Amino acid sequence: MDEDSVRRRKESQNGCTGYSVDSNTKDKQPVKATVLQKDVGLLSGICLIVGTMIGSGIFISPKAVLLYSGAVGPCLLIWAACGVLATLGALCYAELGTMITKSGGEYPYLMEAFGSLVAYLYSWTTVMVLKPSSFAIITLSFAEYASTPFYPGCTPPLVVTKSLSAAAILLIVSVNCLSVRLASYVQNFFTAAKLFIIIVIVGAGIVLLAQGNTETLSNAFDGTTSSVGAIGLAFYNGLWAYDGWNQLNFITEELRDPFRNLPLAILIGIPLVSVCYVLVNVAYFTVMTTNELLLSPAVAVTFGDRVLYPLSWIVPLFVVFSTFGSANGSCFTAGRLAYVSGREGHMVKILSYISLKRYTPLPALIFNGVLAILYIIPADINTLINYFSFAQWAFYGLTALALIVMRFTRTELHRPVKVPIVIAGLMVLVSCYLVLAPIIDKPELEYLYCTIFIFSGLLLYYPFVHLKVNWARKLMRPITMHLQLLMEVVPPETTE
């Protein structure tokens, strides 16, 4: 951040609590309201979408789609079709985000369409499990690839990867607490880094295609599976690789000109990711047969060893960059949901407070970071999250349904972007399939445990949110006050 903006922030601190403004500030810049500032432009918005969607999956294990589709041709078609579906889903979010310009992702839309209870269950599940556990998994992946070069020929010790993962969480949370603009710059840098390595891989693939390395691609549809269930599972895995297309809706209030930049960032970012995914897969097939790709522990690293030697070390390095950028994007958006939930009274009030100096949702970011560190401790977090992931698509489906419902119940709302209602209907059907497919394919008791956890939020909702019991307020008041003094945070000002 430049010195001038730092100076302006320091000068504004005299008046940002709303009590008094020094007379000598009248001729200077207007005092900033203590709300989240509109610091995210179009480029940062695109980088947030692209940087969060592209994690380590496309570099390490893009093989599930190939495994279930059975051949190269349908594999590439499914990658492209998943990109189209993700774009259609994001267009529904563009309508919702420009109609209800509040941060928090699905939360404000579910609140408007279905009321407080559904919105609360969404925030309870996402704030307590989905967001922090996703943050933990991405940083564990980062730690694994960052520590591997120091342990040639063997797996890094668990204590090393978990400690490195915790250090990454602390670093990313600190960056996000310091400044929205700094977090945006970090996101932009790491998105540029992952796009660079994708350009290198795609460029190498184009050169190899020009040289005639088309054996794997020549009989692209040989061995295609005829099982509808297998094709369905290929789509299921492909769509998970595109997860993250809703990230920008979590920070709508911080977007400059959201009516223009939100739909534009979606229309640039998601097709860009789709093109990257398809072209990277084509590049892999110029070097590896289908069997080699399925057997490779890290596909991009194998590609680098065969094509980029002696510079093959850049691939694992940029995979580390990619996972770090993805973790930063995940932290950036997760804090906003906890902040909005606290503001609406669905979480403790302190989570809705804003740093007086930094204009960041400091308590919400720290809370998400603490939960993420707790999720690192168990032996195998991936198993837990796989069972919870069906809930994510359940909420996507409810959000698409919210768009359909509000077409009839909230006709007075201005809609700068309006998508055909058929698209929202398609997203509801796709979501239903993605919720039910893994349960029908392999029914397990853990899905029931996850459902029980989601609805257990009602045990807290009734006394603390619906009834607002008095003893809870008395208990929380001194805790909130002490945390407020410790972190130098204040309630957000109302600017409307």
Side-chain angles (χ1 to χ4, degrees):
M1 212 186 295
D2 60 357
E3 287 179 18
D4 188 49
S5 64
V6 173
R7 179 174 53 77
R8 281 203 304 274
R9 281 196 173 205
K10 283 181 178 173
E11 286 166 358
S12 72
Q13 280 164 26
N14 294 324
C16 60
T17 53
Y19 296 125
S20 63
V21 180
D22 218 0
S23 59
N24 65 357
T25 61
K26 286 177 184 174
D27 302 324
K28 295 181 183 177
Q29 293 288 332
V31 173
K32 284 184 180 179
T34 316
V35 292
L36 295 180
Q37 305 297 310
K38 290 186 178 292
D39 280 338
V40 181
L42 178 61
L43 178 65
S44 295
I46 294 167
C47 287
L48 182 66
I49 292 173
V50 174
T52 311
M53 284 174 77
I54 304 175
S56 62
I58 192 65
F59 303 113
I60 306 305
S61 56
K63 44 197 170 192
V65 177
L66 175 62
L67 180 68
Y68 289 113
S69 61
V72 174
C75 169
L76 295 175
L77 287 174
I78 287 168
W79 276 112
C82 289
V84 172
L85 279 172
T87 307
L88 294 178
L91 285 173
C92 295
Y93 276 67
E95 175 176 327
L96 289 163
T98 52
M99 179 173 73
I100 301 164
T101 53
K102 290 181 180 177
S103 293
E106 293 86 347
Y107 181 80
Y109 319 140
L110 295 174
M111 178 84 87
E112 288 285 339
F114 304 118
S116 174
L117 183 60
V118 176
Y120 169 79
L121 289 176
Y122 167 75
S123 66
W124 160 255
T125 310
T126 311
V127 170
M128 299 306 291
V129 178
L130 294 177
K131 282 288 185 187
S133 60
S134 164
F135 190 21
I137 285 172
I138 300 167
T139 54
L140 280 168
S141 182
F142 158 80
E144 202 174 307
Y145 292 104
S147 56
T148 298
F150 300 99
Y151 296 90
C154 64
T155 311
L158 213 53
V159 67
V160 171
T161 53
K162 294 201 171 191
S163 300
L164 192 54
S165 175
I169 288 171
L170 290 171
L171 177 61
I172 290 166
V173 169
S174 302
V175 165
N176 278 271
C177 287
L178 280 172
S179 157
V180 171
R181 203 164 286 174
L182 177 61
S184 293
Y185 290 156
V186 168
Q187 190 64 27
N188 296 0
F189 171 78
F190 284 105
T191 302
K194 68 181 74 181
L195 288 176
F196 170 76
I197 196 63
I198 283 172
I199 289 166
V200 168
I201 291 171
V202 170
I206 290 168
V207 170
L208 290 164
L209 275 175
Q211 290 173 352
N213 289 278
T214 56
E215 294 86 356
T216 311
L217 297 164
S218 53
N219 298 307
F221 289 86
D222 285 2
T224 304
T225 181
S226 55
S227 160
V228 177
I231 292 289
L233 285 169
F235 266 99
Y236 180 76
N237 284 283
L239 282 165
W240 273 115
Y242 283 96
D243 197 36
W245 40 265
N246 61 334
Q247 294 300 303
L248 210 52
N249 292 69
F250 281 92
I251 59 155
T252 312
E253 290 170 30
E254 291 164 83
L255 264 182
R256 294 190 210 113
D257 191 6
F259 302 113
R260 171 185 172 269
N261 288 341
L262 180 67
L264 206 53
I266 284 167
L267 285 170
I268 295 169
I270 298 167
L272 176 63
V273 172
S274 308
V275 170
C276 287
Y277 278 179
V278 173
L279 292 180
V280 165
N281 274 285
V282 170
Y284 291 155
F285 289 129
T286 61
V287 173
M288 286 171 267
T289 64
T290 51
N291 285 336
E292 285 173 333
L293 192 135
L294 289 171
L295 291 169
S296 170
V299 180
V301 177
T302 307
F303 180 90
D305 289 340
R306 293 190 184 181
V307 178
L308 303 173
Y309 188 82
L311 294 174
S312 53
W313 55 268
I314 70 164
V315 175
L317 174 68
F318 277 84
V319 170
V320 168
F321 284 174
S322 182
T323 45
F324 190 87
S326 196
N328 182 67
S330 175
C331 175
F332 192 89
T333 55
R336 273 57 185 177
L337 177 58
Y339 159 77
V340 174
S341 304
R343 191 174 65 186
E344 297 293 335
H346 285 171
M347 292 278 159
V348 288
K349 211 70 187 164
I350 187 71
L351 293 180
S352 70
Y353 286 18
I354 291 172
S355 169
L356 197 57
K357 295 178 180 175
R358 307 286 178 186
Y359 300 99
T360 55
L362 195 113
L365 289 163
I366 291 172
F367 181 68
N368 181 55
V370 168
L371 285 178
I373 288 173
L374 290 175
Y375 281 122
I376 287 170
I377 298 165
D380 188 14
I381 185 187
N382 284 305
T383 346
L384 166 77
I385 301 320
N386 288 340
Y387 294 124
F388 259 103
S389 55
F390 81 96
Q392 186 70 72
W393 275 97
F395 290 124
Y396 287 159
L398 275 172
T399 307
L401 186 62
L403 187 148
I404 297 169
V405 167
M406 283 192 280
R407 283 284 176 92
F408 301 102
T409 60
R410 302 301 303 272
T411 49
E412 79 284 0
L413 289 174
H414 175 54
R415 293 170 169 83
V417 175
K418 196 169 183 179
V419 299
I421 204 162
V422 178
I423 292 177
L426 176 66
M427 288 313 296
V428 173
L429 292 175
V430 169
S431 303
C432 287
Y433 166 73
L434 289 171
V435 169
L436 297 173
I439 300 171
I440 293 166
D441 181 54
K442 201 178 175 186
E444 291 183 44
L445 210 54
E446 280 81 353
Y447 291 117
L448 180 63
Y449 298 152
C450 296
T451 310
I452 289 168
F453 172 83
I454 292 167
F455 286 101
S456 70
L458 295 173
L459 298 173
L460 296 172
Y461 177 83
Y462 187 70
F464 300 121
V465 179
H466 183 70
L467 293 180
K468 295 184 172 68
V469 289
N470 213 25
W471 61 264
R473 288 182 169 192
K474 284 179 180 173
L475 178 72
M476 283 308 298
R477 199 170 289 128
I479 297 172
T480 302
M481 189 183 74
H482 285 98
L483 287 172
Q484 194 179 349
L485 291 167
L486 178 69
M487 293 187 277
E488 295 187 350
V489 290
V490 292
E493 287 180 18
T494 309
T495 53
E496 294 175 307

